[in-house]
Amino acid sequence: SGAYRANSLTSIVAKEAGLQDLKPLHRIDRLTSGLVLMAKSKELASKVANAMTRKPNSGSVKKRYLARVHGRFPSSEAEAVQMQLNIPTENRKGKLSKDGQGYVKRMGLKDPGIYWEAKSESICDIPLDGETRQGYVIVSFPLRCASKARGSEWECGIEKGKPSMSKFQCLKYDESTDSSLIIAEPLTGRTHQLRLHLSACGHPILNDPNYGIEGNIAKKKLEIDKATNESQRETLRNLSQNSEDSVEDRCRKICRFCNQGGAKAVFNNNQLRWRGMDLHAFNYELETVDGKKFHFQTPLPAFAKCLSSTT
C-alpha cells in the first residue's frame, strides 16, 4: 500500500471485487507488473508467507519473472564465461561475513560468482517458438543496502553483503532492438535482487530507472524537499493531538494528493515519468509445509508478446 491508506491493492480489490480482509503474502516493486498473491484466511496466509520467505521447514516456493534486458544474454557456457570476464574485477565477487557463509552453506547456495548450468529443460514453460535452450546462468553476488532512505538504493558485489543468488535463462534475442527476453528466478529474496544482478552482469532491464543504462537515478528520485517533509510531519503531530479527529480525517487533512494538486504534489518528475519497466512476475509455484500445492501464472506481458511468435 506504500503511502496510501485507501488507494492500495487490498482496498481496490475489496471495493471492486467485494473481497474483504485479504492478507497480502508478498510485495513486488512499484514498477514491476504481474502476480501479487493474497489469502482469505490468516491460517493459510501464515503457511504460504512462511514458504514465500523460505523459512526452514516451511515448504517451498518458485518465483519466475519475465524480463527484457539489454544486449544478447548468454545462452551457452562460452558466453557466460565471457560475461563474467567483462564484469569489472571489483564487482565480480564480494566477501561474505561468517554469518553469510553459514547462510550459503545452510541454504545450498553457491559462493560469489557466475556459473553456467548445462541443462536442456526450461526454467518455466513459455509459449514462445520452441527455441532450444542449452542451460542457464546462475549469478551469486551479495547485496547490501546503500541507503535506508525512502526508495532505498542497493549495491551489488559488496563486501559483507547479504548472500543472494538468481537463475536466468535466455528465451530469445531480438537483433533489431539489441535486447533479450529472459526468464529469471530469484533463489533468495533480497530487495531489487534480479534488477541488481542483471545490472551487475552488464544486462540491465531495458527501462530500469534505478539500475539501467541511463545511470542510477535513485538519488535524483529521492530528492525530496526536507522542509516540506518536516512541515508535513509537524502537521501530523498536531493533528494526532486532536482526539476529536478520526484516523480517516487525519489522513485526509495531511494527504498532499487530495489537498495540494494530485499526483504532481506527491511524485517528482522522475517518478511520474517511469510508470513501469519490463519486469513481470509471471509464474509462482508454492507448496506449504502440510503438502498443499498452488500454481499461478499470468498471460504474457506486452513486452514479451512483441518478441514472441505467438500472440
Side-chain angles (χ1 to χ4, degrees):
S1 61
Y4 296 104
R5 175 173 175 81
N7 190 24
S8 63
L9 181 60
T10 51
S11 297
I12 292 171
V13 171
K15 183 175 181 179
E16 295 188 359
L19 297 173
Q20 304 291 331
D21 198 28
L22 293 178
K23 283 76 178 173
L25 303 177
H26 64 108
R27 299 183 299 176
I28 56 176
D29 293 344
R30 181 176 66 88
L31 299 179
T32 302
S33 60
L35 285 167
V36 176
L37 304 183
M38 295 184 281
K40 293 182 179 180
S41 70
K42 290 183 179 180
E43 181 183 7
L44 181 59
S46 178
K47 290 179 180 179
V48 175
N50 286 340
M52 294 282 286
T53 55
R54 296 178 173 84
K55 291 185 177 180
N57 303 315
S58 61
S60 62
V61 60
K62 291 184 178 180
K63 307 176 185 178
R64 282 82 173 233
Y65 292 74
L66 288 171
R68 191 156 64 126
V69 301
H70 281 280
R72 183 188 289 273
F73 196 84
S75 56
S76 68
E77 183 174 11
E79 292 175 352
V81 170
Q82 186 59 51
M83 180 175 71
Q84 173 147 302
L85 293 176
N86 291 339
I87 298 174
T89 304
E90 63 272 17
N91 292 340
R92 290 186 192 174
K93 292 188 177 182
K95 295 181 180 179
L96 298 172
S97 65
K98 289 185 178 180
D99 288 343
Q101 293 171 8
Y103 181 85
V104 166
K105 185 176 180 179
R106 187 169 62 254
M107 300 297 291
L109 305 179
K110 293 182 180 293
D111 290 331
I114 293 177
Y115 304 85
W116 173 258
E117 293 285 344
K119 294 184 178 180
S120 59
E121 73 268 15
S122 298
I123 294 177
C124 181
D125 290 332
I126 304 294
L128 292 172
D129 55 8
E131 291 183 352
T132 301
R133 285 131 206 170
Q134 302 177 27
Y136 46 79
V137 175
I138 292 180
V139 177
S140 181
F141 284 148
L143 305 179
R144 185 182 70 181
C145 184
S147 169
K148 294 184 181 297
R150 177 172 174 253
S152 58
E153 291 181 82
W154 283 66
E155 298 173 316
C156 187
I158 299 300
E159 187 172 340
K160 295 184 178 180
K162 294 182 178 180
S164 308
M165 195 162 83
S166 305
K167 183 190 295 186
F168 303 102
Q169 187 172 54
C170 184
L171 300 176
K172 192 163 187 174
Y173 172 68
D174 181 56
E175 188 174 359
S176 65
T177 58
D178 188 28
S179 65
S180 299
L181 178 65
I182 68 169
I183 191 157
E185 181 180 337
L187 302 178
T188 51
R190 310 302 183 194
T191 300
H192 297 176
Q193 175 177 315
L194 297 176
R195 298 164 66 184
L196 279 158
H197 280 169
L198 288 166
S199 181
C201 291
H203 296 278
I205 293 171
L206 205 62
N207 47 5
D208 188 335
N210 289 62
Y211 311 107
I213 60 172
E214 293 189 20
N216 191 335
I217 67 164
K219 291 183 179 180
K220 296 179 182 178
K221 188 175 69 174
L222 293 173
E223 288 176 354
I224 301 169
D225 188 338
K226 294 182 179 179
T228 299
N229 282 350
E230 179 54 40
S231 173
Q232 186 178 11
R233 285 193 290 269
E234 180 62 28
T235 302
L236 184 59
R237 284 193 291 268
N238 292 336
L239 288 172
S240 299
Q241 295 173 1
N242 186 350
S243 59
E244 295 180 359
D245 283 328
S246 67
V247 174
E248 294 289 345
D249 288 336
R250 296 175 199 169
C251 290
R252 288 192 182 94
K253 287 182 179 179
I254 198 157
C255 177
R256 287 191 289 158
F257 188 97
C258 298
N259 301 318
Q260 298 178 23
K264 290 185 178 181
V266 180
F267 303 107
N268 60 42
N269 289 334
N270 282 317
Q271 290 171 318
L272 291 172
R273 175 188 174 191
W274 299 97
R275 301 293 181 91
M277 62 180 170
D278 290 352
L279 179 63
H280 181 83
F282 176 66
N283 175 293
Y284 284 8
E285 291 183 18
L286 300 167
E287 183 173 357
T288 60
V289 68
D290 56 0
K292 290 183 178 179
K293 296 182 179 181
F294 303 89
H295 180 264
F296 306 93
Q297 184 166 303
T298 74
L300 285 175
F303 70 81
K305 286 182 179 179
C306 71
L307 294 182
S308 169
S309 60
T310 60
T311 55

